[in-house]
Amino acid sequence: MALKIKQLSFMALFAIGFSTGFAQLGFSHEIGVIAGPVAFQSDFGERYNLETNAGNTGIGVGIIHYINFSYRADCSCYTTDTYFNDHFKLRSEISWNTTKLNHFGQWVAADKTSVYADKLRAHSGEATNFDVGMQLEYFPFSIRAFSVQVQSFAPFVSLGAHLTKYYPKVWTTYGDQEITNLENYYDPWYHPYGGTDNEFINVNRGSTWSVVGSIGTRYKLSILSDLMLDLRWQYYFRDNIDGLNHQLESNKANDYLVWLNFGYIYYLD
């Protein structure tokens, strides 16, 4: 836990330092909080399976900050009327998400009574991630017009990159319950295609980059506050975010998540 707090503190200092740099340019600022359910897509369960998608669901929370290019805080006036200033915002974020992971789908159905099925049922995990990063948000309609129209909507799309610190955990209640004993897990992972032993369990902490895209909308609650609904897709550039990286043909994609978050945003100046 101490290590997690240290990593989060470093991420916070990085984001604050970057935002302070932009503050010197006179742009206005917004700050907010987000939270919502996370569907984590990994090597647990079956991909594109509704039961897996619903079962492997966790929670995410975060703090967000925006640079609003359409308004200057140093003079309380609008900036030069350019397309970029009136349609883009820069979003920085510190967030945390966690998801309990289990195997769902046909291979662990109630009518499956093999040792393979028992090992899958006994295997569970947890994916916990800290993120810091930035996204450029595009608003197809005027930001200036939205800022003065209470009870209006402002849809947006965004794209950016995050640095992710991941902390996977793995458990098994099969056999001697030792997570380093690979024979406690699904046999085809242990001898993929009849080949050599494969170290498919990895609970080491690490870091990786991820690409983040989202679509959403803001709702103007008051002149100085917005509500936000945001559907995010985040793709990691590694496949062991969940602590599992088997080499079967079904494991063709890196881990990713889908996060539906709800937010509240306040205009600082």
Side-chain angles (χ1 to χ4, degrees), residues 10-77:
F10 171 78
M11 293 177 179
L13 289 173
F14 173 84
I16 291 172
F18 191 91
S19 297
T20 300
F22 267 105
Q24 304 305 314
L25 300 177
F27 297 119
S28 63
H29 301 266
E30 306 163 13
I31 192 168
V33 293
I34 55 175
V38 171
F40 199 90
Q41 306 295 299
S42 70
D43 298 329
F44 279 81
E46 298 179 48
R47 286 189 183 273
Y48 315 117
N49 175 268
L50 180 60
E51 189 178 2
T52 297
N53 296 342
N56 287 335
T57 302
I59 187 71
V61 295
I63 300 173
I64 54 178
H65 172 268
Y66 286 90
I67 299 295
N68 187 338
F69 300 107
S70 68
Y71 195 80
R72 293 188 64 90
D74 55 355
C75 67
S76 297
C77 59

Side-chain angles (χ1 to χ4, degrees), residues 30-34 64 66 137 139 146 151-156 216-230 261-267:
E30 306 163 13
I31 192 168
V33 293
I34 55 175
I64 54 178
Y66 286 90
E137 291 193 355
F139 294 79
F146 171 72
Q151 298 183 346
S152 61
F153 289 90
F156 64 85
T217 187
R218 288 196 187 194
Y219 172 77
K220 177 60 67 176
L221 190 64
S222 72
I223 292 298
L224 292 179
S225 63
D226 297 344
L227 298 180
M228 182 181 72
L229 178 66
D230 182 26
N261 62 65
F262 304 87
Y264 174 81
I265 300 166
Y266 183 77
Y267 293 69

Side-chain angles (χ1 to χ4, degrees), residues 170-185:
V170 170
W171 299 275
T172 180
T173 58
Y174 190 86
D176 62 7
Q177 302 184 15
E178 175 57 54
I179 65 171
T180 59
N181 182 0
L182 301 185
E183 293 191 9
N184 288 333
Y185 303 97

Side-chain angles (χ1 to χ4, degrees), residues 179-227:
I179 65 171
T180 59
N181 182 0
L182 301 185
E183 293 191 9
N184 288 333
Y185 303 97
Y186 186 57
D187 293 68
W189 297 340
Y190 189 54
H191 298 290
Y193 307 116
T196 58
D197 293 349
N198 172 40
E199 297 289 341
F200 51 84
I201 295 293
N202 185 346
V203 293
N204 294 328
R205 303 171 177 178
S207 61
T208 186
W209 289 98
S210 58
V211 60
V212 178
S214 66
I215 182 171
T217 187
R218 288 196 187 194
Y219 172 77
K220 177 60 67 176
L221 190 64
S222 72
I223 292 298
L224 292 179
S225 63
D226 297 344
L227 298 180

